[in-house]
Amino acid sequence: MTQVTRRELARADTDREIRRTARELLVRDGPRAVSLRAIARELGVTAPALYRYYSSHSDLLDQLRADVCADLGAELAQALPDADARSQVLAVCRAFRRWALAHPQEFVLVFATPAHESTSESFAGVFLGVVGRILIPGAVDTPRVREIPAAIRADLAAFLDSVGALGVSISVETGYAMLQFWGRLYGQVALEVFGQFPFPVRDAEPVFEAMLIDLVDEFGPL
């Protein structure tokens, strides 16, 4: 068995400290505040020293996204009740909304940044990795599945092939139904996180609940 050296332990400790500091900056000041220079200032080191751990600012943000997604995935999995599929879907979607409202800056970083390869990975890891395992049995008979636009079929197939490593085998038809489900769920949550309802809404939870029940009912038998 390979023995971990003191240098390796020290490097791991420093890496955790960098990621902890990056997360604190994210929560406090938003994604734009997370820079190598800002992290170095908080840690009392020079910015070039951080390049021993991360090759670029994008590399650091990718790791931060991965950390956030791991936490979110664990939280959603913990929210799963020992019940039927419909109850599980409702519970996970409600847990996602609660998480987004409680962690708006993390939501922005993972789900509301410009298109990036890691954005797709985040979507796959969180939505397909947790919700997908519940929805797959009921998705294949959804009427919407029969209306996949030809222009998106190849892109969707390529994406689903790329997430096979997650251990979730999904057909193009099922993936398309889940994409529609995600689009409506995400849109509703984003409206609330960013306060972008077209008129003042004092209590958005009943609006979310009505949308969620309609969405699950439309999705197919669960």
Side-chain angles (χ1 to χ4, degrees), residues 164-186:
L166 293 169
V168 182
S169 179
I170 304 173
S171 69
V172 174
E173 290 74 19
T174 300
Y176 183 64
M178 291 173 60
L179 177 63
Q180 292 188 318
F181 187 102
W182 166 253
R184 290 178 61 184
L185 174 65
Y186 169 81

Side-chain angles (χ1 to χ4, degrees), residues 38-116:
I39 293 170
R41 184 168 56 248
E42 293 286 329
L43 294 177
V45 300
T46 62
L50 300 184
Y51 284 100
R52 301 173 190 167
Y53 299 86
Y54 295 96
S55 60
S56 65
H57 178 247
S58 294
D59 186 25
L60 173 63
L61 289 184
D62 284 346
Q63 181 59 61
L64 188 54
R65 287 188 184 95
D67 290 344
V68 172
C69 284
D71 291 346
L72 172 56
E75 192 164 325
L76 295 185
Q78 190 173 15
L80 282 174
D82 184 13
D84 58 274
R86 177 187 174 86
S87 297
Q88 289 185 327
V89 170
L90 292 173
V92 169
C93 291
R94 288 164 181 155
F96 175 67
R97 172 181 175 268
R98 288 195 302 270
W99 176 87
L101 293 175
H103 303 87
Q105 301 293 9
E106 287 99 326
F107 178 86
V108 170
L109 177 69
V110 175
F111 296 107
T113 52
H116 187 274

Side-chain angles (χ1 to χ4, degrees), residues 102-180:
H103 303 87
Q105 301 293 9
E106 287 99 326
F107 178 86
V108 170
L109 177 69
V110 175
F111 296 107
T113 52
H116 187 274
E117 182 179 353
S118 64
T119 303
S120 295
E121 294 170 354
S122 299
F123 169 85
V126 175
F127 189 70
L128 299 184
V130 178
V131 182
R133 287 184 170 87
I134 307 168
L135 295 181
I136 287 172
V140 291
D141 295 326
T142 304
R144 295 176 185 273
V145 167
R146 305 188 188 99
E147 305 168 5
I148 302 177
I152 197 177
R153 181 178 284 271
D155 291 338
L156 184 57
F159 169 70
L160 294 175
D161 285 344
S162 72
V163 300
L166 293 169
V168 182
S169 179
I170 304 173
S171 69
V172 174
E173 290 74 19
T174 300
Y176 183 64
M178 291 173 60
L179 177 63
Q180 292 188 318

Side-chain angles (χ1 to χ4, degrees), residues 5 162 212:
T5 66
S162 72
L212 181 59

